[in-house]
Amino acid sequence: MDATAGGNAGTRTIPIHDGPTQEIVLDIDERTARANERLKAEFSMVDTKIHRFPRGLQRIGGDDDRYIMPSVVAIGPYHHGTQHLQKMEEVKLAAAYQLCWDSHFSTQQVYEKVLSVAGEARRCYDADDSSVAGLSDANFAAMMFLDGCFLLQYMVPGGGTEPVLKNRMTLSTGLSIQRDIFLLENQIPWLVLDALKEFMPSVDVRGFVARVQQEFHPGEGKAKVRRDRGLNDIDSGDGSKPPHLLGLLWFTLVRSMPAHVKNYTGFVSSTLKSSSAVELAQIGVRLKASTEPWFGDMSVRRRHLVFGEMSLSPVFLNDITACWLVNVAAMEASTAGGASAGSDGYTVSSYLSMLAMLMDREEDVQRLRAKRLLYSTFSDKQALRFFKGLAQHLRFGNRYLAILEAIHSYRRQGPVCIFVHRHLYNSYKAMTIATLFSIVGVLVGIFKTMLSNKKY
């Protein structure tokens, strides 16, 4: 049956179906409603979920997924059962035994505490993931118990008093464990650690992560972080808790960043132009290491009317910190949108994109080293490849756009000064090269004269 809307030639006919078609429509309606509710429920937990490494960022995982796959220990279900991680399972049992012994509580008492939060903890993982779906509730609770005890025992200052655990957890594999426990896919919910903390109140989890984040702050920056922040002064201010250890690391890195900086709202414009470190030097923008106590600080301002200054947090880059940076960026990509109001959530990603923008050639990397913005065990070529490879897959955050806007404003307001700076920079560089060749020529002449005199 058809119902005609209006009687003109241009009217629209709306078909009204019954029978099997109506059943299909009702089925679709029910399915869409269920999907809508499910997606809303998942989004409401986006900040507390244990995410898989985003598929769109897989290429930044490094050779053989070195920045995704744990090297010595599996924490949580996603990599549980992986063959090369099995040796550490026995160490987990020993760590749980030691924790219960030191706390003077029975294994049953400690396990039952974890069991009381295991149901809520399970909802922090993707229920459809095969590594989770295949676990019984009892096996999942046991995993949370052993992994939580292992993490807390690892954080005991000095590795504890048990020689075997001290050797296996701190001396022989300590750095590898520290690398693994901050992987995005290698996390257990914070509520599990919170429950176990009742039995190990002396273990300062937040202080441990505060010490870890200092690895990113080289030289003077590290000293200032120690003075300004302290090791135990890690509190969100609103009573909220981190989702897991990696989430706590992110929060520790940026927690003291002012709201007006973190929540900046930029805009995309076709006139915004990226600039390498050498290009900034050519137009009179000097690079300077920031002394702000938060990580990822970036700012551009005009100095002395004719000069500009870009201030950046210095960073220490080795294989471990590179791994952490990749995973922090992956976490931001997984949780952005569920971030606090006013922030786009790409705080560290913006900083990484900015560093990558400054590096076009190895000469740019050398300039960043000379300005004490980059401390690294990587070669210039390795550092350039790391940041450029990483930035290709990162979204431009608002803070990154803000710096591009500031550079654009500097270019627009001082074209004459920029012309002069560029001319002087290139002339000085050419003069330096010419002078160098002159000096070499003089030295060669002197050396030849000395050899000639020596013959006589």
Side-chain angles (χ1 to χ4, degrees), residues 72 82-92 168:
V72 295
T82 302
Q83 185 61 39
H84 74 275
L85 306 176
Q86 294 311 296
K87 286 186 177 180
M88 199 58 67
E89 293 303 308
E90 188 174 17
V91 179
K92 290 181 183 179
R168 296 296 299 275

Side-chain angles (χ1 to χ4, degrees), residues 47-58:
D47 285 334
T48 57
K49 293 277 286 188
I50 311 290
H51 297 273
R52 281 287 195 176
F53 203 91
R55 186 174 296 276
L57 299 182
Q58 290 289 332

Side-chain angles (χ1 to χ4, degrees), residues 139-175:
N139 286 338
F140 179 84
M143 178 190 297
M144 293 294 105
F145 167 73
L146 292 175
D147 289 356
C149 289
F150 176 86
L151 287 174
L152 289 182
Q153 194 63 39
Y154 177 71
M155 296 177 199
V156 172
T161 58
E162 176 56 46
V164 174
L165 282 178
K166 188 171 184 176
N167 176 268
R168 296 296 299 275
M169 296 180 73
T170 60
L171 300 180
S172 61
T173 57
L175 290 178

